[in-house]
Amino acid sequence: IGKASTEYVDSPATLKGTITKAFGLTLVTIASAIASGVFLANSPAAYGVLILGMIVGVVLTLVTCFKPHLAPMTTPGYAVFEGAVLGIISAQFERMYFGISAIAVGITLATMILMLVLWKTRIIKVTETVRSVISMTGAVAIFYFVNIIASLFGFHMMPTSGIFGIAIGFIIAGVAAFNLLLDFDNIEQAVAYGAPKYYEYFCAFGLLLTLVWLYIEILRLLQMIM
């Protein structure tokens, strides 16, 4: 354990390592989502698992953000619990519109690829001004997740239908998509500056967090449009 801890502090983060961890965390999230969607979504325990998953997910997110060196331990747990939440939510949407989850996954991946191309080709450059503007969208993310929790108890802080609701959904999805630019740039800077090895998990976590946000918003948008 001591040797592993020293490695994460002394060894520098690499692009390959970050991509590997981002891919691995995404697979864990997907596997957990499929398992919960198949085995838990229709059970009496679904609601309890949903609440527990969201609470644990928020706690692990806060711990990871304020204690990045703990990312190698907190991020796998986040992937498992957040995956369970996504599985149950997706199953609920599937009952209304069969195939909506697959469409949302496809759009999410396509959006990530598009933003990666725009960032890699420098069509959109992440300058300090752009970084500051995107960073301020954190308030939107916080409000969004508070709305999700409130909706579980029957309170909706945002419109869930109509043209106004769709417009707000597009704006929030756009904000999430542009946050991907910040995630890509954070990965590049961490590698360039020789950040500690644990930043591979930390940066991968940031990317996963944005993808989860984007997926849920696209799911909501599709539900309002269909």
Side-chain angles (χ1 to χ4, degrees):
I1 297 176
K3 183 178 180 181
S5 300
T6 303
E7 177 187 355
Y8 278 118
V9 173
D10 297 338
S11 301
T14 64
L15 181 59
K16 180 181 178 180
T18 306
I19 293 175
T20 299
K21 290 172 176 60
F23 184 70
L25 289 173
T26 302
L27 286 182
V28 171
T29 304
I30 293 174
S32 178
I34 294 174
S36 67
V38 173
F39 299 108
L40 294 175
N42 296 318
S43 73
Y47 190 75
V49 173
L50 182 64
I51 297 298
L52 176 64
M54 294 188 71
I55 293 174
V56 174
V58 170
V59 171
L60 290 177
T61 296
L62 293 174
V63 172
T64 305
C65 290
F66 288 102
K67 301 288 184 179
H69 65 281
L70 296 179
M73 292 175 282
T74 57
T75 52
Y78 172 83
V80 172
F81 282 97
E82 195 63 36
V85 170
L86 293 181
I88 294 173
I89 291 176
S90 298
Q92 292 175 346
F93 278 92
E94 282 289 324
R95 293 193 190 99
M96 295 183 288
Y97 305 99
F98 179 75
I100 190 174
S101 299
I103 297 173
V105 169
I107 295 175
T108 300
L109 292 177
T111 302
M112 183 187 70
I113 293 172
L114 173 62
M115 300 310 290
L116 179 60
V117 170
L118 292 176
W119 171 79
K120 193 65 178 178
T121 57
R122 297 302 190 260
I123 292 177
I124 299 180
K125 296 181 179 180
V126 183
T127 61
E128 286 304 316
T129 301
V130 173
R131 177 176 286 273
S132 298
V133 172
I134 296 178
S135 295
M136 287 189 295
T137 62
V140 177
I142 294 173
F143 177 77
Y144 176 76
F145 285 110
V146 169
N147 176 72
I148 292 178
I149 296 174
S151 66
L152 296 175
F153 299 95
F155 300 101
H156 297 280
M157 302 167 64
M158 295 188 301
T160 57
S161 61
I163 297 177
F164 189 50
I166 293 174
I168 292 179
F170 269 109
I171 292 174
I172 295 178
V175 169
F178 272 92
N179 268 269
L180 288 171
L181 297 174
L182 200 58
D183 295 324
F184 298 146
D185 198 61
N186 285 338
I187 292 173
E188 184 180 64
Q189 289 197 22
V191 173
Y193 294 152
K197 193 74 172 177
Y198 60 77
Y199 262 81
E200 293 178 353
Y201 274 104
F202 184 66
C203 291
F205 165 75
L207 181 59
L208 178 61
L209 197 66
T210 303
L211 288 175
V212 168
W213 177 17
L214 180 60
Y215 168 75
I216 294 178
E217 189 53 40
I218 290 175
L219 202 59
R220 290 184 65 256
L221 260 176
L222 289 173
Q223 183 267 328
M224 288 188 281
I225 294 173
M226 295 175 72

